[in-house]
């Protein structure tokens, strides 16, 4: 099929079976926001996929269980209820060209060191409006993204509720954070 964009928004989807997207090799953008998904679906068969939106679902974990197309550039997870991002959650993204990731308003309370360290193409990371984050979590993110030479934008609005230590942004001294 030549289908390039698929909008499955505002449905009552809870689980998508692994082979539901088989044959959609030309699909470039997949919009699954505003459903009731509890798990990240298998994206492997969509070899042209560049953008996925899973915003406004009921995801409790960021764990990606299957390989991801190397063409993937943008992931939107905003407005889910993800309490922890572990170091292994984004390992399948290591071979992708992820440029934009939105984790805003996900009620994140813990970010381990490591999940963003294998995303060298990352240009924009949004972890804004996650008021449960501690300074240690923010520091873990900054250490990870310091390995992303293309990073231009880091959204932290509404996520810092403590005094910022003087050395917090020091790992980014060689990273251009222009807007």
């Amino acid at each position: 099929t030549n289908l390039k964009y698929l909008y499955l928004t505002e449905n009552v989807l809870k689980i998508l079976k692994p082979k539901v997207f088989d044959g959609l090799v030309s699909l470039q953008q997949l919009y699954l926001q505003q459903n009731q998904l509890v798990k990240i679906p298998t994206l492997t068969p969509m070899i042209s996929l560049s953008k996925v939106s899973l915003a406004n679902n009921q995801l409790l974990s960021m764990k990606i269980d299957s390989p991801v197309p190397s063409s993937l550039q943008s992931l939107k997870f905003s407005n889910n209820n993800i309490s922890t991002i572990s170091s292994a959650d984004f390992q399948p993204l290591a071979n992708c060209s992820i440029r934009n990731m939105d984790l805003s308003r996900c009620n994140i309370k813990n970010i381990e060191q490591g999940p963003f360290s294998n995303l060298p193409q990352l240009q924009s990371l949004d972890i804004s409006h996650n008021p449960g984050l501690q300074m240690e979590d923010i520091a873990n993110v900054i250490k990870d993204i310091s390995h992303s030479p293309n990073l231009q934008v880091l959204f932290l609005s509404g996520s810092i509720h403590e005094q910022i230590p003087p050395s917090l942004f020091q790992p980014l001294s060689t990273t251009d954070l222009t807007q």
Side-chain angles (χ1 to χ4, degrees), residues 122-140:
L122 193 64
Q123 294 176 356
S124 174
L125 177 62
D126 189 346
I127 55 170
S128 65
H129 302 286
N130 284 293
L133 290 175
Q134 303 297 313
M135 198 54 63
E136 179 183 349
D137 303 307
I138 303 291
N140 285 341

Side-chain angles (χ1 to χ4, degrees), residues 46-61:
M46 298 172 282
I47 59 173
S48 301
L49 195 63
S50 64
K51 182 175 184 176
V52 176
S53 177
L54 290 158
N56 297 300
N57 275 286
Q58 295 177 5
L59 297 175
L60 299 174
S61 167

Side-chain angles (χ1 to χ4, degrees), residues 6-36:
L6 181 56
Y7 293 85
L8 293 170
T9 60
E10 298 183 42
N11 289 298
V12 193
L13 303 174
K14 294 182 181 182
I15 295 176
L16 295 172
K17 304 231 183 230
K19 296 186 182 251
V20 72
F21 298 120
D22 280 7
L24 298 180
V25 295
S26 297
L27 194 67
Q28 295 174 4
Q29 297 184 13
L30 177 60
Y31 297 92
L32 292 166
Q33 66 264 25
Q34 296 177 311
N35 279 289
Q36 296 175 11

Side-chain angles (χ1 to χ4, degrees), residues 12 33 77 91 93 101 123 160 162 170 174-175:
V12 193
Q33 66 264 25
F77 295 111
Q91 280 181 344
L93 300 177
M101 187 177 289
Q123 294 176 356
I160 297 178
E162 305 173 46
Q170 192 170 19
T174 59
T175 303

Side-chain angles (χ1 to χ4, degrees), residues 15-158:
I15 295 176
L16 295 172
K17 304 231 183 230
K19 296 186 182 251
V20 72
F21 298 120
D22 280 7
L24 298 180
V25 295
S26 297
L27 194 67
Q28 295 174 4
Q29 297 184 13
L30 177 60
Y31 297 92
L32 292 166
Q33 66 264 25
Q34 296 177 311
N35 279 289
Q36 296 175 11
L37 293 171
V38 295
K39 185 176 185 235
I40 297 171
T42 301
L43 304 173
T44 309
M46 298 172 282
I47 59 173
S48 301
L49 195 63
S50 64
K51 182 175 184 176
V52 176
S53 177
L54 290 158
N56 297 300
N57 275 286
Q58 295 177 5
L59 297 175
L60 299 174
S61 167
M62 297 279 43
K63 181 78 173 145
I64 298 173
D65 292 328
S66 61
V68 176
S70 61
S71 56
L72 193 60
Q73 295 180 13
S74 179
L75 281 169
K76 185 169 186 165
F77 295 111
S78 61
N79 291 299
N80 278 285
N81 197 20
I82 301 150
S83 61
T84 298
I85 298 178
S86 76
S87 60
D89 282 351
F90 300 135
Q91 280 181 344
L93 300 177
N95 296 325
C96 296
S97 299
I98 297 293
R99 288 178 171 75
N100 303 298
M101 187 177 289
D102 183 351
L103 298 162
S104 64
R105 301 180 190 279
C106 282
N107 201 25
I108 301 169
K109 294 178 178 55
N110 180 37
I111 300 177
E112 295 178 5
Q113 188 171 347
F116 306 105
S117 61
N118 291 327
L119 303 174
Q121 301 300 319
L122 193 64
Q123 294 176 356
S124 174
L125 177 62
D126 189 346
I127 55 170
S128 65
H129 302 286
N130 284 293
L133 290 175
Q134 303 297 313
M135 198 54 63
E136 179 183 349
D137 303 307
I138 303 291
N140 285 341
V141 170
I142 289 172
K143 285 177 200 165
D144 282 0
I145 63 173
S146 68
H147 303 290
S148 299
N150 296 311
L151 189 74
Q152 295 178 12
V153 183
L154 175 61
F155 294 98
L156 295 171
S157 302

